[in-house]
mmCIF file of all heavy atoms in Angstrom:
data_model
loop_
_atom_site.group_PDB
_atom_site.id
_atom_site.type_symbol
_atom_site.label_atom_id
_atom_site.label_comp_id
_atom_site.label_asym_id
_atom_site.label_seq_id
_atom_site.Cartn_x
_atom_site.Cartn_y
_atom_site.Cartn_z
ATOM 1 N N SER A 761 -36.716 -38.403 -27.583
ATOM 2 C CA SER A 761 -35.423 -39.051 -27.800
ATOM 3 C C SER A 761 -34.822 -39.539 -26.489
ATOM 4 O O SER A 761 -34.371 -40.678 -26.374
ATOM 5 C CB SER A 761 -34.463 -38.081 -28.493
ATOM 6 O OG SER A 761 -34.976 -37.638 -29.727
ATOM 7 N N LEU A 762 -34.822 -38.660 -25.474
ATOM 8 C CA LEU A 762 -34.262 -39.043 -24.185
ATOM 9 C C LEU A 762 -35.102 -40.127 -23.518
ATOM 10 O O LEU A 762 -34.586 -40.943 -22.746
ATOM 11 C CB LEU A 762 -34.156 -37.822 -23.275
ATOM 12 C CG LEU A 762 -33.162 -36.751 -23.731
ATOM 13 C CD1 LEU A 762 -33.233 -35.528 -22.820
ATOM 14 C CD2 LEU A 762 -31.740 -37.298 -23.746
ATOM 15 N N ALA A 763 -36.391 -40.154 -23.823
ATOM 16 C CA ALA A 763 -37.270 -41.170 -23.235
ATOM 17 C C ALA A 763 -36.933 -42.569 -23.739
ATOM 18 O O ALA A 763 -37.224 -43.560 -23.061
ATOM 19 C CB ALA A 763 -38.730 -40.839 -23.541
ATOM 20 N N ILE A 764 -36.332 -42.668 -24.918
ATOM 21 C CA ILE A 764 -35.957 -43.978 -25.452
ATOM 22 C C ILE A 764 -34.988 -44.675 -24.503
ATOM 23 O O ILE A 764 -35.100 -45.882 -24.245
ATOM 24 C CB ILE A 764 -35.343 -43.839 -26.856
ATOM 25 C CG1 ILE A 764 -36.392 -43.307 -27.846
ATOM 26 C CG2 ILE A 764 -34.805 -45.187 -27.354
ATOM 27 C CD1 ILE A 764 -35.840 -43.038 -29.234
ATOM 28 N N ASP A 765 -34.054 -43.907 -23.955
ATOM 29 C CA ASP A 765 -33.106 -44.484 -22.999
ATOM 30 C C ASP A 765 -33.836 -44.951 -21.745
ATOM 31 O O ASP A 765 -33.498 -45.989 -21.158
ATOM 32 C CB ASP A 765 -32.035 -43.450 -22.649
ATOM 33 C CG ASP A 765 -30.746 -44.099 -22.171
ATOM 34 O OD1 ASP A 765 -30.463 -45.231 -22.611
ATOM 35 O OD2 ASP A 765 -30.028 -43.486 -21.374
ATOM 36 N N ASN A 766 -34.840 -44.192 -21.330
ATOM 37 C CA ASN A 766 -35.650 -44.598 -20.177
ATOM 38 C C ASN A 766 -36.384 -45.903 -20.463
ATOM 39 O O ASN A 766 -36.498 -46.779 -19.596
ATOM 40 C CB ASN A 766 -36.653 -43.496 -19.847
ATOM 41 C CG ASN A 766 -37.161 -43.589 -18.415
ATOM 42 O OD1 ASN A 766 -36.699 -44.397 -17.626
ATOM 43 N ND2 ASN A 766 -38.132 -42.763 -18.083
ATOM 44 N N VAL A 767 -36.875 -46.044 -21.684
ATOM 45 C CA VAL A 767 -37.569 -47.276 -22.089
ATOM 46 C C VAL A 767 -36.644 -48.480 -21.971
ATOM 47 O O VAL A 767 -37.044 -49.557 -21.509
ATOM 48 C CB VAL A 767 -38.099 -47.138 -23.533
ATOM 49 C CG1 VAL A 767 -38.467 -48.501 -24.111
ATOM 50 C CG2 VAL A 767 -39.314 -46.214 -23.560
ATOM 51 N N PHE A 768 -35.395 -48.315 -22.356
ATOM 52 C CA PHE A 768 -34.440 -49.416 -22.269
ATOM 53 C C PHE A 768 -34.157 -49.781 -20.806
ATOM 54 O O PHE A 768 -33.916 -50.947 -20.488
ATOM 55 C CB PHE A 768 -33.141 -49.053 -22.987
ATOM 56 C CG PHE A 768 -33.288 -48.946 -24.480
ATOM 57 C CD1 PHE A 768 -32.358 -48.263 -25.242
ATOM 58 C CD2 PHE A 768 -34.365 -49.527 -25.130
ATOM 59 C CE1 PHE A 768 -32.487 -48.165 -26.622
ATOM 60 C CE2 PHE A 768 -34.519 -49.432 -26.515
ATOM 61 C CZ PHE A 768 -33.580 -48.753 -27.258
ATOM 62 N N VAL A 769 -34.176 -48.788 -19.925
ATOM 63 C CA VAL A 769 -34.010 -49.071 -18.491
ATOM 64 C C VAL A 769 -35.202 -49.882 -17.985
ATOM 65 O O VAL A 769 -35.041 -50.841 -17.223
ATOM 66 C CB VAL A 769 -33.859 -47.767 -17.689
ATOM 67 C CG1 VAL A 769 -33.919 -48.044 -16.183
ATOM 68 C CG2 VAL A 769 -32.548 -47.080 -18.034
ATOM 69 N N TRP A 770 -36.408 -49.511 -18.403
ATOM 70 C CA TRP A 770 -37.593 -50.290 -18.027
ATOM 71 C C TRP A 770 -37.464 -51.731 -18.491
ATOM 72 O O TRP A 770 -37.788 -52.659 -17.745
ATOM 73 C CB TRP A 770 -38.844 -49.671 -18.652
ATOM 74 C CG TRP A 770 -39.223 -48.334 -18.114
ATOM 75 C CD1 TRP A 770 -38.687 -47.688 -17.040
ATOM 76 C CD2 TRP A 770 -40.232 -47.476 -18.636
ATOM 77 N NE1 TRP A 770 -39.300 -46.475 -16.858
ATOM 78 C CE2 TRP A 770 -40.249 -46.306 -17.816
ATOM 79 C CE3 TRP A 770 -41.115 -47.551 -19.696
ATOM 80 C CZ2 TRP A 770 -41.125 -45.260 -18.041
ATOM 81 C CZ3 TRP A 770 -41.986 -46.505 -19.928
ATOM 82 C CH2 TRP A 770 -42.000 -45.370 -19.109
ATOM 83 N N LEU A 771 -37.010 -51.908 -19.708
ATOM 84 C CA LEU A 771 -36.848 -53.254 -20.261
ATOM 85 C C LEU A 771 -35.879 -54.067 -19.403
ATOM 86 O O LEU A 771 -36.117 -55.248 -19.118
ATOM 87 C CB LEU A 771 -36.343 -53.158 -21.698
ATOM 88 C CG LEU A 771 -36.167 -54.484 -22.455
ATOM 89 C CD1 LEU A 771 -37.497 -55.196 -22.592
ATOM 90 C CD2 LEU A 771 -35.561 -54.219 -23.838
ATOM 91 N N MET A 772 -34.794 -53.442 -18.981
ATOM 92 C CA MET A 772 -33.803 -54.110 -18.144
ATOM 93 C C MET A 772 -34.409 -54.489 -16.792
ATOM 94 O O MET A 772 -34.180 -55.592 -16.278
ATOM 95 C CB MET A 772 -32.599 -53.202 -17.953
ATOM 96 C CG MET A 772 -31.495 -53.769 -17.080
ATOM 97 S SD MET A 772 -30.126 -52.588 -16.930
ATOM 98 C CE MET A 772 -30.973 -51.178 -16.178
ATOM 99 N N LEU A 773 -35.213 -53.597 -16.205
ATOM 100 C CA LEU A 773 -35.846 -53.876 -14.918
ATOM 101 C C LEU A 773 -36.832 -55.030 -15.022
ATOM 102 O O LEU A 773 -36.843 -55.936 -14.167
ATOM 103 C CB LEU A 773 -36.568 -52.620 -14.410
ATOM 104 C CG LEU A 773 -35.690 -51.453 -13.956
ATOM 105 C CD1 LEU A 773 -36.541 -50.220 -13.673
ATOM 106 C CD2 LEU A 773 -34.886 -51.827 -12.721
ATOM 107 N N PHE A 774 -37.672 -55.016 -16.047
ATOM 108 C CA PHE A 774 -38.643 -56.088 -16.215
ATOM 109 C C PHE A 774 -37.951 -57.430 -16.445
ATOM 110 O O PHE A 774 -38.409 -58.467 -15.960
ATOM 111 C CB PHE A 774 -39.581 -55.780 -17.389
ATOM 112 C CG PHE A 774 -40.584 -54.697 -17.095
ATOM 113 C CD1 PHE A 774 -40.804 -53.673 -18.004
ATOM 114 C CD2 PHE A 774 -41.318 -54.699 -15.915
ATOM 115 C CE1 PHE A 774 -41.724 -52.666 -17.741
ATOM 116 C CE2 PHE A 774 -42.237 -53.702 -15.643
ATOM 117 C CZ PHE A 774 -42.440 -52.694 -16.551
ATOM 118 N N SER A 775 -36.866 -57.395 -17.182
ATOM 119 C CA SER A 775 -36.114 -58.622 -17.437
ATOM 120 C C SER A 775 -35.471 -59.145 -16.155
ATOM 121 O O SER A 775 -35.502 -60.345 -15.874
ATOM 122 C CB SER A 775 -35.046 -58.363 -18.503
ATOM 123 O OG SER A 775 -34.239 -59.515 -18.699
ATOM 124 N N PHE A 776 -34.891 -58.244 -15.354
ATOM 125 C CA PHE A 776 -34.203 -58.647 -14.128
ATOM 126 C C PHE A 776 -35.170 -59.284 -13.127
ATOM 127 O O PHE A 776 -34.854 -60.288 -12.494
ATOM 128 C CB PHE A 776 -33.525 -57.437 -13.491
ATOM 129 C CG PHE A 776 -32.835 -57.745 -12.188
ATOM 130 C CD1 PHE A 776 -31.617 -58.412 -12.176
ATOM 131 C CD2 PHE A 776 -33.407 -57.359 -10.980
ATOM 132 C CE1 PHE A 776 -30.973 -58.697 -10.967
ATOM 133 C CE2 PHE A 776 -32.771 -57.640 -9.779
ATOM 134 C CZ PHE A 776 -31.554 -58.317 -9.776
ATOM 135 N N PHE A 777 -36.377 -58.701 -12.992
ATOM 136 C CA PHE A 777 -37.350 -59.217 -12.036
ATOM 137 C C PHE A 777 -38.276 -60.275 -12.649
ATOM 138 O O PHE A 777 -39.164 -60.786 -11.952
ATOM 139 C CB PHE A 777 -38.191 -58.073 -11.464
ATOM 140 C CG PHE A 777 -37.428 -57.179 -10.524
ATOM 141 C CD1 PHE A 777 -37.012 -55.918 -10.916
ATOM 142 C CD2 PHE A 777 -37.103 -57.616 -9.246
ATOM 143 C CE1 PHE A 777 -36.307 -55.097 -10.053
ATOM 144 C CE2 PHE A 777 -36.390 -56.796 -8.378
ATOM 145 C CZ PHE A 777 -35.984 -55.533 -8.781
ATOM 146 N N GLY A 778 -38.084 -60.596 -13.923
ATOM 147 C CA GLY A 778 -38.872 -61.641 -14.564
ATOM 148 C C GLY A 778 -40.342 -61.297 -14.687
ATOM 149 O O GLY A 778 -41.207 -62.162 -14.495
ATOM 150 N N ILE A 779 -40.651 -60.040 -15.006
ATOM 151 C CA ILE A 779 -42.046 -59.609 -15.141
ATOM 152 C C ILE A 779 -42.538 -59.921 -16.554
ATOM 153 O O ILE A 779 -42.011 -59.372 -17.523
ATOM 154 C CB ILE A 779 -42.203 -58.098 -14.868
ATOM 155 C CG1 ILE A 779 -41.516 -57.702 -13.556
ATOM 156 C CG2 ILE A 779 -43.673 -57.714 -14.864
ATOM 157 C CD1 ILE A 779 -42.087 -58.351 -12.328
ATOM 158 N N PRO A 780 -43.538 -60.802 -16.717
ATOM 159 C CA PRO A 780 -44.032 -61.122 -18.059
ATOM 160 C C PRO A 780 -44.735 -59.934 -18.708
ATOM 161 O O PRO A 780 -45.194 -59.012 -18.011
ATOM 162 C CB PRO A 780 -45.012 -62.275 -17.812
ATOM 163 C CG PRO A 780 -45.435 -62.109 -16.385
ATOM 164 C CD PRO A 780 -44.257 -61.537 -15.662
ATOM 165 N N LEU A 781 -44.829 -59.954 -20.028
ATOM 166 C CA LEU A 781 -45.392 -58.827 -20.762
ATOM 167 C C LEU A 781 -46.803 -58.463 -20.317
ATOM 168 O O LEU A 781 -47.160 -57.291 -20.230
ATOM 169 C CB LEU A 781 -45.391 -59.137 -22.267
ATOM 170 C CG LEU A 781 -44.049 -59.019 -22.989
ATOM 171 C CD1 LEU A 781 -44.168 -59.541 -24.414
ATOM 172 C CD2 LEU A 781 -43.554 -57.580 -22.991
ATOM 173 N N GLU A 782 -47.633 -59.475 -20.015
ATOM 174 C CA GLU A 782 -49.023 -59.191 -19.666
ATOM 175 C C GLU A 782 -49.157 -58.499 -18.312
ATOM 176 O O GLU A 782 -50.214 -57.919 -18.016
ATOM 177 C CB GLU A 782 -49.858 -60.477 -19.675
ATOM 178 C CG GLU A 782 -49.379 -61.547 -18.714
ATOM 179 C CD GLU A 782 -48.361 -62.486 -19.345
ATOM 180 O OE1 GLU A 782 -47.786 -62.120 -20.391
ATOM 181 O OE2 GLU A 782 -48.158 -63.584 -18.790
ATOM 182 N N LEU A 783 -48.102 -58.527 -17.464
ATOM 183 C CA LEU A 783 -48.150 -57.845 -16.177
ATOM 184 C C LEU A 783 -47.447 -56.495 -16.206
ATOM 185 O O LEU A 783 -47.532 -55.729 -15.239
ATOM 186 C CB LEU A 783 -47.511 -58.722 -15.088
ATOM 187 C CG LEU A 783 -48.203 -60.039 -14.760
ATOM 188 C CD1 LEU A 783 -47.454 -60.772 -13.656
ATOM 189 C CD2 LEU A 783 -49.653 -59.804 -14.349
ATOM 190 N N GLN A 784 -46.746 -56.197 -17.284
ATOM 191 C CA GLN A 784 -45.993 -54.955 -17.363
ATOM 192 C C GLN A 784 -46.899 -53.745 -17.559
ATOM 193 O O GLN A 784 -46.537 -52.619 -17.203
ATOM 194 C CB GLN A 784 -44.974 -55.034 -18.499
ATOM 195 C CG GLN A 784 -43.894 -56.075 -18.253
ATOM 196 C CD GLN A 784 -42.979 -56.275 -19.444
ATOM 197 O OE1 GLN A 784 -43.037 -55.515 -20.421
ATOM 198 N NE2 GLN A 784 -42.140 -57.288 -19.395
ATOM 199 N N LYS A 785 -48.094 -53.968 -18.095
ATOM 200 C CA LYS A 785 -49.002 -52.870 -18.429
ATOM 201 C C LYS A 785 -49.331 -52.014 -17.207
ATOM 202 O O LYS A 785 -49.271 -50.784 -17.254
ATOM 203 C CB LYS A 785 -50.288 -53.424 -19.039
ATOM 204 C CG LYS A 785 -51.363 -52.377 -19.324
ATOM 205 C CD LYS A 785 -52.568 -53.025 -19.978
ATOM 206 C CE LYS A 785 -53.639 -51.972 -20.271
ATOM 207 N NZ LYS A 785 -54.344 -51.548 -19.054
ATOM 208 N N ARG A 786 -49.662 -52.688 -16.075
ATOM 209 C CA ARG A 786 -50.079 -51.931 -14.894
ATOM 210 C C ARG A 786 -48.935 -51.069 -14.365
ATOM 211 O O ARG A 786 -49.139 -49.918 -13.969
ATOM 212 C CB ARG A 786 -50.562 -52.879 -13.806
ATOM 213 C CG ARG A 786 -51.191 -52.129 -12.630
ATOM 214 C CD ARG A 786 -51.651 -53.056 -11.539
ATOM 215 N NE ARG A 786 -52.363 -52.304 -10.506
ATOM 216 C CZ ARG A 786 -52.628 -52.784 -9.293
ATOM 217 N NH1 ARG A 786 -52.248 -54.003 -8.971
ATOM 218 N NH2 ARG A 786 -53.260 -52.046 -8.418
ATOM 219 N N VAL A 787 -47.724 -51.619 -14.342
ATOM 220 C CA VAL A 787 -46.569 -50.863 -13.871
ATOM 221 C C VAL A 787 -46.320 -49.654 -14.760
ATOM 222 O O VAL A 787 -46.057 -48.548 -14.281
ATOM 223 C CB VAL A 787 -45.315 -51.762 -13.829
ATOM 224 C CG1 VAL A 787 -44.075 -50.949 -13.496
ATOM 225 C CG2 VAL A 787 -45.495 -52.874 -12.802
ATOM 226 N N LEU A 788 -46.423 -49.843 -16.072
ATOM 227 C CA LEU A 788 -46.161 -48.747 -17.000
ATOM 228 C C LEU A 788 -47.227 -47.662 -16.916
ATOM 229 O O LEU A 788 -46.913 -46.468 -17.026
ATOM 230 C CB LEU A 788 -46.072 -49.299 -18.430
ATOM 231 C CG LEU A 788 -44.875 -50.216 -18.704
ATOM 232 C CD1 LEU A 788 -44.941 -50.766 -20.120
ATOM 233 C CD2 LEU A 788 -43.562 -49.483 -18.483
ATOM 234 N N VAL A 789 -48.490 -48.068 -16.736
ATOM 235 C CA VAL A 789 -49.563 -47.069 -16.600
ATOM 236 C C VAL A 789 -49.316 -46.184 -15.386
ATOM 237 O O VAL A 789 -49.371 -44.949 -15.461
ATOM 238 C CB VAL A 789 -50.933 -47.760 -16.492
ATOM 239 C CG1 VAL A 789 -51.995 -46.768 -16.015
ATOM 240 C CG2 VAL A 789 -51.351 -48.340 -17.831
ATOM 241 N N LEU A 790 -49.024 -46.814 -14.236
ATOM 242 C CA LEU A 790 -48.761 -46.043 -13.030
ATOM 243 C C LEU A 790 -47.469 -45.240 -13.158
ATOM 244 O O LEU A 790 -47.359 -44.125 -12.641
ATOM 245 C CB LEU A 790 -48.681 -46.983 -11.822
ATOM 246 C CG LEU A 790 -49.996 -47.674 -11.440
ATOM 247 C CD1 LEU A 790 -49.774 -48.668 -10.318
ATOM 248 C CD2 LEU A 790 -51.048 -46.644 -11.042
ATOM 249 N N GLY A 791 -46.496 -45.803 -13.873
ATOM 250 C CA GLY A 791 -45.245 -45.082 -14.098
ATOM 251 C C GLY A 791 -45.455 -43.814 -14.906
ATOM 252 O O GLY A 791 -44.878 -42.765 -14.602
ATOM 253 N N VAL A 792 -46.296 -43.901 -15.936
ATOM 254 C CA VAL A 792 -46.595 -42.727 -16.769
ATOM 255 C C VAL A 792 -47.357 -41.678 -15.971
ATOM 256 O O VAL A 792 -47.065 -40.479 -16.049
ATOM 257 C CB VAL A 792 -47.385 -43.155 -18.021
ATOM 258 C CG1 VAL A 792 -47.953 -41.931 -18.741
ATOM 259 C CG2 VAL A 792 -46.495 -43.950 -18.973
ATOM 260 N N LEU A 793 -48.347 -42.117 -15.172
ATOM 261 C CA LEU A 793 -49.105 -41.167 -14.347
ATOM 262 C C LEU A 793 -48.182 -40.459 -13.355
ATOM 263 O O LEU A 793 -48.262 -39.235 -13.165
ATOM 264 C CB LEU A 793 -50.214 -41.906 -13.599
ATOM 265 C CG LEU A 793 -51.377 -42.429 -14.440
ATOM 266 C CD1 LEU A 793 -52.324 -43.254 -13.577
ATOM 267 C CD2 LEU A 793 -52.136 -41.286 -15.093
ATOM 268 N N GLY A 794 -47.304 -41.223 -12.728
ATOM 269 C CA GLY A 794 -46.361 -40.630 -11.790
ATOM 270 C C GLY A 794 -45.426 -39.645 -12.468
ATOM 271 O O GLY A 794 -45.102 -38.584 -11.912
ATOM 272 N N ALA A 795 -44.990 -39.996 -13.679
ATOM 273 C CA ALA A 795 -44.079 -39.126 -14.427
ATOM 274 C C ALA A 795 -44.743 -37.793 -14.777
ATOM 275 O O ALA A 795 -44.107 -36.731 -14.713
ATOM 276 C CB ALA A 795 -43.607 -39.831 -15.700
ATOM 277 N N ILE A 796 -46.028 -37.834 -15.140
ATOM 278 C CA ILE A 796 -46.735 -36.604 -15.497
ATOM 279 C C ILE A 796 -46.831 -35.669 -14.287
ATOM 280 O O ILE A 796 -46.561 -34.464 -14.385
ATOM 281 C CB ILE A 796 -48.145 -36.931 -16.035
ATOM 282 C CG1 ILE A 796 -48.034 -37.606 -17.411
ATOM 283 C CG2 ILE A 796 -48.997 -35.672 -16.134
ATOM 284 C CD1 ILE A 796 -49.357 -38.083 -17.970
ATOM 285 N N VAL A 797 -47.220 -36.219 -13.134
ATOM 286 C CA VAL A 797 -47.338 -35.405 -11.917
ATOM 287 C C VAL A 797 -45.973 -34.842 -11.522
ATOM 288 O O VAL A 797 -45.822 -33.641 -11.231
ATOM 289 C CB VAL A 797 -47.915 -36.243 -10.763
ATOM 290 C CG1 VAL A 797 -47.895 -35.440 -9.461
ATOM 291 C CG2 VAL A 797 -49.336 -36.684 -11.085
#
């Protein structure tokens, strides 16, 4: 539930920096790995 708010923050960041959907995958993969550690 709390992660949903984090997802919306990611959406805002990608929108602000103009990151297209096909390039968001790499950032999210590394973001998830970093979050686990």
Side-chain angles (χ1 to χ4, degrees):
S761 302
L762 294 175
I764 295 176
D765 204 29
N766 201 6
V767 164
F768 292 161
V769 171
W770 292 351
L771 182 62
M772 179 180 60
L773 290 172
F774 287 133
S775 176
F776 178 76
F777 289 105
I779 310 297
L781 283 172
E782 59 270 18
L783 295 181
Q784 294 173 9
K785 175 178 180 285
R786 188 181 186 195
V787 173
L788 293 177
V789 166
L790 293 175
V792 168
L793 290 175
I796 290 175
V797 174

